[in-house]
Amino acid sequence: MAEDESTETRDNKLARLNPATWSKKTKIIAAGAALALVLAGVGGGFAYNQYAIARDCTVQSELFADQKADLDKAVKDARAALDTVMAPEKSGEEDKRLAHTDDFELSADGQKAINALGKTINAVTAHDDDTAPQCQSRDDLTALTALTDARAADLEALKAQTKTFTETVDKYRLDKAAEEAKTSMDKAKSDLAAAQKGATDQLAVVDGDTA
C-alpha cells in the first residue's frame, strides 16, 4: 500500500511538470515568468553594449586629441629635414643647408626623396581640419575609430619617410664629401708634381750656370 501511494505521488509531480496538464492560469503565469527572464537578459545585454560604446568612445576621443601634438611634431621634423638640403624660399631667410648638399635637390635621388617626403607631409597636414564626431552610438564609434586609424597611419608613414629622407641625405653627403676629398687630393698631387717639376727645372738652370 505504501509503495502504491509513493508511486502515485511521483506520478502527480511528473504530471505537474508537463505543460500539457497545466491549467490556463498556470500557463499564463509560466509565460509571464519566461518573458520576464528574456527581457532581463536583453536588458542586461543592451546595458553592457551601451557601456562598451561609451568606454570605447572615451578612449578614441582621447586618442584623437593626443594625436594633434604628434602630427604637428612630425610635420615640423619633416620640414626641418627638407630645410637641410633646400635653399631658402625668400631672400634674407636663414640658409639651413648642410655641407655637401648644394646640388642635392637637383639630383635624381634628391628630387625623388624631396617629392616623396612632400607627399607624406601633405597627407598629414590634410588632417589639420579634422574634427572628432560626437560619439554616442556604434556608428559614431566606427566613424571616429576610422578617423583615428587614418591619422595614425599617416603619422607613421611620415615618420618613416622622414627617416628614409634623412638616410638618403646622409648617403649623398658622404658620397659628395668623398668625391670632393678625392678632387682635392688629385689637385694637391697635381700641384705637388708641378712644384717638383718647377724645382727640378730651376736646379737644372742653376747647374747649367755653374758648369
Side-chain angles (χ1 to χ4, degrees):
M1 177 68 80
E3 183 178 349
D4 291 341
E5 290 178 356
S6 176
T7 300
E8 182 180 355
T9 300
R10 184 176 66 253
D11 290 342
N12 289 337
K13 290 181 178 179
L14 291 174
R16 287 198 295 270
L17 294 176
N18 184 359
T21 65
W22 292 352
S23 66
K24 184 177 181 180
K25 180 180 179 181
T26 300
K27 289 180 179 179
I28 292 174
I29 294 173
L35 179 60
L37 290 173
V38 170
L39 291 176
V42 172
F46 177 79
Y48 178 77
N49 186 54
Q50 291 301 107
Y51 159 76
I53 291 174
R55 176 199 62 198
D56 294 344
C57 278
T58 298
V59 171
Q60 290 297 322
S61 295
E62 291 177 351
L63 175 60
F64 179 89
D66 292 342
Q67 284 177 330
K68 173 63 176 173
D70 293 336
L71 291 167
D72 288 347
K73 182 178 185 304
V75 170
K76 181 179 179 181
D77 291 345
R79 286 174 173 164
L82 285 174
D83 286 343
T84 64
V85 299
M86 299 183 70
E89 294 183 358
K90 297 178 182 179
S91 177
E93 288 184 341
E94 180 184 0
D95 190 342
K96 299 178 181 179
R97 285 178 294 179
L98 299 174
H100 311 299
T101 62
D102 291 349
D103 298 325
F104 180 81
E105 59 183 313
L106 301 178
S107 67
D109 287 344
Q111 291 179 358
K112 181 179 178 181
I114 290 171
N115 289 337
L117 185 56
K119 184 177 179 180
T120 51
I121 289 175
N122 291 338
V124 169
T125 55
H127 291 294
D128 287 348
D129 296 327
D130 285 347
T131 55
Q134 187 174 13
C135 193
Q136 294 181 339
S137 67
R138 176 63 63 184
D139 289 344
D140 292 341
L141 176 59
T142 299
L144 179 55
T145 301
L147 180 57
T148 55
D149 285 349
R151 286 156 64 94
D154 288 338
L155 173 62
E156 291 307 313
L158 180 54
K159 288 181 178 179
Q161 194 61 52
T162 301
K163 181 175 183 294
T164 298
F165 179 86
T166 301
E167 291 172 349
T168 301
V169 172
D170 288 345
K171 182 179 183 304
Y172 180 89
R173 294 181 65 208
L174 183 62
D175 291 345
K176 201 72 174 177
E179 179 183 330
E180 291 177 6
K182 182 177 182 302
T183 299
S184 297
M185 187 175 295
D186 290 343
K187 184 177 184 303
K189 288 180 179 179
S190 177
D191 291 345
L192 178 60
Q196 289 175 334
K197 183 177 183 306
T200 300
D201 291 345
Q202 288 297 323
L203 289 173
V205 169
V206 173
D207 289 343
D209 290 343
T210 58

